C-alpha cells in the first residue's frame, strides 16, 4: 500500500508538450486496462514473502487499448531448470541462463507449477523465453545472487514462536476454566474419602451456596494465564518481526496509543526512506522495462503516436510519480510551509 499505492504516474520530459500529454494519457489508459497498479502490488507482496516475482511481457487480445501488451505474473517456482537440462547446461542458474558476464539471456518457464500432480505423470513441459520478455523483480543482497530471498526470512521463526506461546497461554486458560471447582478432603485415604471415586464429578446449581460434608472443602482453580507480561511479549515479537521490512511499531501492531507526535515522525523516517528506495527500484527494474516495451508496440501501430515519437531508437525522457505521504498534522505542515515561504527556502 505504501510502495505502490494507487499506482505510478508517468510524466514525459520531452520538448514537445503535445507529445508529452498524448503519451501520458495513452499510457495511463493502457495501464488501467491491464490493472498495472494491482499487478505491481502483487509483485511487491511476492517480493516480500517469496523473495521475487516474474512478469512475462505478452500479447493479450482482450486488452481494451490500442496497445495490447500485457504483463502476466507467474509463480517464482515456475522459473526453474528442468531436471533433464540442468546436467547439460552449466550456464543455467535455477532457471536463468546467464552469459559470461552474468547477464540474463533467457529463462526456463515451466508451463505448470512444479507442485501439480500432472508433472509427475507427463514430466516437465517448459518454454525458453528471452530476457527481453521477462521482468524479474528481486533484490540482490549478496554478490552473484541471481534469485531472490524472502524479506521476512529472518522473522519466520518469530512467527512460529509467537503462535506457540499464544496457543500455550490459551490452552492453559482453557484448562483452568474447564472445572468449576475442586472438592478435596483432609481425611486419610482409608476414611470417608475412600468411598468416593477419584476424578468423580458433582453437579452444582448455578449461583447457589451449598454445604459440604464434614472434612470436605471446595476450591476453585485459579487461571494464571495470560500473565501481565503476555502483551509486552507479543508487542516485542511483532516489532522484531517487522524489522526486516522497516515497518515501525505502530503500523505493525495497528495501534498508536503509546505514541506522541514526535516519536511517530521519528519512527517513520526510516520507513519512508525505505519506501522511496523501493519506489525508485521498482521504477528502474519494472516500470522502465514495461514503458519501453509499450513504446515498441505503440510505434508499430500506424497513425497512433505522433510522428516525432515514432522513432524506435529514440529514448523519450520521462520520470515516475507516486502517491504522496500524508502528514499526520496538517496544521503543523501548513505552518512549516508558510515559514519556508517567508524565509525563501522553498
Amino acid at each position: 500500500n505504501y510502495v505502490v499505492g494507487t499506482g505510478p504516474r508517468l510524466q514525459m520530459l520531452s520538448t514537445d508538450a503535445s507529445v508529452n500529454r498524448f503519451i501520458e494519457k495513452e499510457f495511463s489508459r493502457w495501464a488501467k486496462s491491464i490493472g498495472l497498479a494491482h499487478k505491481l502490488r502483487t509483485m511487491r507482496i511476492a517480493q516480500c514473502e517469496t523473495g521475487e516475482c516474474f512478469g512475462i511481457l505478452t500479447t493479450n487480445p482482450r486488452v481494451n487499448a490500442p496497445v495490447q501488451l500485457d504483463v502476466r505474473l507467474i509463480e517464482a517456482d515456475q522459473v526453474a531448470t528442468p531436471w533433464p537440462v540442468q546436467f547439460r547446461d552449466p550456464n543455467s542458474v535455477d532457471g536463468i541462463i546467464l552469459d559470461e558476464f552474468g547477464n540474463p539471456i533467457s529463462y526456463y518457464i515451466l508451463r505448470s507449477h512444479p507442485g501439480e500432480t500432472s508433472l509427475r505423470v507427463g514430466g516437465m513441459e517448459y518454454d525458453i523465453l528471452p530476457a527481453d520478455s521477462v521482468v524479474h523483480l528481486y533484490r540482490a543482497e549478496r554478490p552473484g545472487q541471481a534469485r531472490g530471498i524472502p524479506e521476512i526470512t529472518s522473522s519466520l521463526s518469530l512467527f512460529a514462536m509467537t503462535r506457540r506461546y499464544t496457543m500455550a497461554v490459551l490452552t492453559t486458560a482453557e484448562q483452568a476454566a474447564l472445572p468449576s471447582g475442586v472438592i478435596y478432603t483432609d481425611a486419610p485415604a482409608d476414611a470417608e474419602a475412600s468411598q468416593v471415586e477419584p476424578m468423580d464429578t458433582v453437579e452444582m446449581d448455578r449461583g447457589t451456596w451449598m454445604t459440604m460434608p464434614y472434612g470436605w472443602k471446595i476450591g476453585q482453580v485459579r487461571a494464571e494465564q495470560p500473565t501481565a507480561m503476555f502483551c509486552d511479549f507479543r508487542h516485542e515479537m511483532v516489532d522484531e518481526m517487522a524489522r526486516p521490512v522497516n515497518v515501525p511499531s505502530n503500523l505493525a501492531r495497528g495501534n498508536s496509543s503509546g505514541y506522541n507526535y514526535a516519536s511517530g515522525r521519528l519512527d517513520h523516517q526510516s520507513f519512508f526512506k525505505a519506501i522511496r528506495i523501493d519506489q525508485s527500484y521498482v521504477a528502474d527494474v519494472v516500470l522502465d522495462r514495461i514503458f519501453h516495451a509499450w513504446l515498441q508496440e505503440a510505434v508499430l501501430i500506424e497513425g497512433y503516436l505522433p510522428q516525432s515519437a515514432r522513432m524506435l531508437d529514440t529514448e523519450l525522457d520521462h520520470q515516475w510519480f507516486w502517491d504522496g505521504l500524508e502528514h499526520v498534522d496538517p496544521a503543523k505542515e501548513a505552518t512549516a510551509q508558510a515559514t519556508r515561504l517567508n524565509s525563501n527556502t522553498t
Side-chain angles (χ1 to χ4, degrees):
N1 291 336
Y2 279 89
V3 174
V4 179
T6 60
R9 285 167 292 282
L10 172 67
Q11 183 184 34
M12 301 300 301
L13 300 176
S14 71
T15 56
D16 193 331
S18 61
V19 171
N20 292 343
R21 286 193 299 268
F22 179 82
I23 294 179
E24 290 169 2
K25 177 182 176 181
E26 289 301 307
F27 184 83
S28 175
R29 171 188 172 187
W30 169 82
K32 185 176 180 180
S33 65
I34 71 164
L36 181 60
H38 305 289
K39 294 182 178 181
L40 288 176
R41 282 193 290 269
T42 301
M43 296 182 73
R44 186 60 187 89
I45 293 173
Q47 181 186 355
C48 178
E49 66 177 14
T50 310
E52 57 190 348
C53 186
F54 292 87
I56 299 177
L57 301 178
T58 183
T59 300
N60 185 355
R62 294 193 176 185
V63 173
N64 188 22
V67 176
Q68 295 186 333
L69 175 71
D70 199 358
V71 182
R72 181 168 64 90
L73 305 183
I74 61 173
E75 287 276 1
D77 294 337
Q78 289 184 240
V79 179
T81 305
W83 71 265
V85 179
Q86 58 187 348
F87 302 105
R88 303 193 301 264
D89 192 351
N91 296 323
S92 176
V93 179
D94 198 8
I96 305 176
I97 303 176
L98 305 175
D99 61 12
E100 57 180 330
F101 303 104
N103 301 313
I105 300 176
S106 55
Y107 294 81
Y108 288 103
I109 309 295
L110 302 182
R111 296 180 181 177
S112 301
H113 193 278
E116 294 184 8
T117 56
S118 59
L119 288 178
R120 304 171 187 172
V121 179
M124 289 188 176
E125 296 183 355
Y126 61 91
D127 298 310
I128 301 179
L129 298 183
D132 293 340
S133 300
V134 179
V135 177
H136 186 193
L137 176 64
Y138 80 105
R139 295 291 294 270
E141 302 293 343
R142 301 188 63 179
Q145 181 178 333
R147 298 292 299 262
I149 299 175
E151 296 176 342
I152 57 173
T153 299
S154 59
S155 295
L156 292 180
S157 59
L158 303 180
F159 286 100
M161 290 167 56
T162 306
R163 180 167 56 250
R164 286 172 53 199
Y165 182 62
T166 303
M167 295 302 298
V169 170
L170 179 61
T171 301
T172 304
E174 288 178 342
Q175 290 176 348
L178 286 177
S180 300
V182 178
I183 301 175
Y184 61 96
T185 179
D186 295 330
D190 58 349
E192 185 180 0
S194 62
Q195 303 175 5
V196 180
E197 294 293 333
M199 308 302 295
D200 196 8
T201 59
V202 178
E203 293 186 3
M204 294 182 293
D205 293 333
R206 183 178 179 181
T208 61
W209 292 81
M210 67 179 181
T211 59
M212 300 299 298
Y214 177 76
W216 290 85
K217 299 178 182 178
I218 186 170
Q220 285 185 308
V221 179
R222 291 185 300 174
E224 299 181 356
Q225 293 286 351
T227 63
M229 301 299 294
F230 176 72
C231 292
D232 293 337
F233 173 81
R234 284 186 57 87
H235 290 171
E236 291 295 328
M237 294 295 282
V238 171
D239 292 348
E240 193 171 350
M241 294 172 194
R243 288 310 305 149
V245 288
N246 298 299
V247 175
S249 176
N250 62 329
L251 289 183
R253 293 189 284 113
N255 185 0
S256 300
S257 59
Y259 273 70
N260 56 30
Y261 178 80
S263 61
R265 294 282 293 176
L266 181 63
D267 282 5
H268 281 69
Q269 285 183 356
S270 60
F271 175 62
F272 289 156
K273 185 173 183 179
I275 293 300
R276 291 194 296 271
I277 294 174
D278 277 349
Q279 290 173 342
S280 176
Y281 188 75
V282 171
D284 293 340
V285 175
V286 179
L287 293 178
D288 285 351
R289 289 279 313 279
I290 292 177
F291 179 57
H292 182 67
W294 182 87
L295 279 178
Q296 288 183 317
E297 294 289 333
V299 296
L300 298 178
I301 303 176
E302 186 65 31
Y304 180 50
L305 292 181
Q307 189 62 33
S308 58
R310 289 178 54 83
M311 300 295 294
L312 281 173
D313 57 348
T314 299
E315 288 291 341
L316 297 177
D317 292 335
H318 63 279
Q319 63 182 358
W320 302 97
F321 280 93
W322 306 83
D323 291 347
L325 301 173
E326 295 84 0
H327 202 278
V328 178
D329 192 332
K332 290 186 178 181
E333 177 68 9
T335 302
Q337 182 70 3
T339 303
R340 286 191 290 266
L341 287 171
N342 292 331
S343 60
N344 296 324
T345 57
T346 183

